[in-house]
Amino acid sequence: MGTHPGEAQPGAPDPDDREVGRRFAAGDEQALALAYERFAGQIHGMAVRAFGPGPDAEDVTQQTFVSAWTGRAGYRPEKGPFPGWLVGVARHKIADTWARRAKQRREAEAAISEAQAGPANRVAPGFDSQVADRVLVLDELELLGQPQRGIIELAFFEDLTHAQIAARTGIPLGTVKSHIRRTLERLRSRLEVDGAALHA
């Protein structure tokens, strides 16, 4: 009984990563299965470090392999190893997920602020000052680059401790603390200026 082209011979060693990448780029579905078996754990680990365990990490893992497979023609073995290419795809998916989460958060915060501020969009008696503070935080986030923005989002919107943020992002604890401290100092200055303007 013979074997089909591309099918592993009984007792043959597993193909190395380079061969898996070559077959993957050629559209060999067995190579897709091998790639998932070998690298899904690493990709999922990256996603868990970015978002914590849960649906987002699972989605990023699945999206990485779907995107890699549909875009397999873009893989060029001469430009780097196959696992590194998959990691690059995963980084794009992680960035996309951060952007989607930030957009959803901004939309939710905007809806809350509009509901609290009233039709004239002015600060009225009984206006929830916490909502105003959160809107200021959102404004400040627009001015930040990464990783500062991600750190502040984790601190303000997911209520993570400094240590939890450091563990999730892989950024040293001291760096996390300094980013948060500098951003809070800027926010404090803005709150003082805005408060003075409101009472002028």
Side-chain angles (χ1 to χ4, degrees), residues 69-89:
W69 181 248
T70 57
R72 59 188 178 276
Y75 170 59
R76 295 286 184 269
E78 65 273 13
K79 291 188 176 181
F82 181 61
W85 181 74
L86 281 177
V87 165
V89 176

Side-chain angles (χ1 to χ4, degrees), residues 74-145:
Y75 170 59
R76 295 286 184 269
E78 65 273 13
K79 291 188 176 181
F82 181 61
W85 181 74
L86 281 177
V87 165
V89 176
R91 285 178 176 149
H92 282 293
K93 292 303 170 187
I94 288 170
D96 289 346
T97 302
W98 271 120
R100 174 177 54 79
R101 286 173 59 156
K103 181 174 182 289
Q104 291 172 342
R105 190 175 296 125
R106 286 195 300 271
E107 289 172 350
E109 294 293 335
I112 291 171
S113 65
E114 287 174 12
Q116 292 286 344
N121 210 26
R122 293 191 302 267
V123 177
F127 178 70
D128 186 347
S129 62
Q130 288 187 339
V131 173
D133 292 352
R134 289 168 77 84
V135 171
L136 283 175
V137 171
L138 286 169
D139 289 344
E140 199 66 29
L141 285 177
E142 295 293 338
L143 306 176
L144 295 177

Side-chain angles (χ1 to χ4, degrees), residues 30 33 38 44 61 128 151 154 159 176:
Q30 185 184 41
R38 289 187 188 182
H44 185 254
T61 305
D128 186 347
I151 290 170
L154 290 172
D159 295 323
V176 169

Side-chain angles (χ1 to χ4, degrees), residues 111-192:
I112 291 171
S113 65
E114 287 174 12
Q116 292 286 344
N121 210 26
R122 293 191 302 267
V123 177
F127 178 70
D128 186 347
S129 62
Q130 288 187 339
V131 173
D133 292 352
R134 289 168 77 84
V135 171
L136 283 175
V137 171
L138 286 169
D139 289 344
E140 199 66 29
L141 285 177
E142 295 293 338
L143 306 176
L144 295 177
Q146 295 292 2
Q148 294 93 330
R149 180 170 180 161
I151 290 170
I152 296 301
E153 287 180 337
L154 290 172
F156 273 85
F157 299 110
E158 296 194 30
D159 295 323
L160 297 187
T161 66
H162 294 172
Q164 288 170 329
I165 294 170
R168 180 174 296 190
T169 60
I171 296 171
L173 180 59
T175 304
V176 169
K177 289 180 177 179
S178 65
H179 282 322
I180 292 175
R181 183 178 65 252
R182 283 196 294 269
T183 303
L184 289 177
E185 287 170 355
R186 288 171 61 181
L187 283 171
R188 187 179 302 114
S189 298
R190 283 195 59 185
L191 286 168
E192 289 171 356

Side-chain angles (χ1 to χ4, degrees), residues 4-51:
H4 296 291
E7 184 177 323
Q9 296 286 341
D14 286 339
D16 61 18
D17 292 347
R18 184 178 180 83
E19 178 65 9
V20 170
R22 186 190 67 76
R23 294 185 189 176
F24 187 98
D28 183 343
E29 292 184 2
Q30 185 184 41
L32 171 61
L34 277 170
Y36 190 86
E37 180 183 319
R38 289 187 188 182
F39 308 119
Q42 178 185 357
I43 300 301
H44 185 254
M46 290 174 60
V48 168
R49 286 193 293 276
F51 305 111

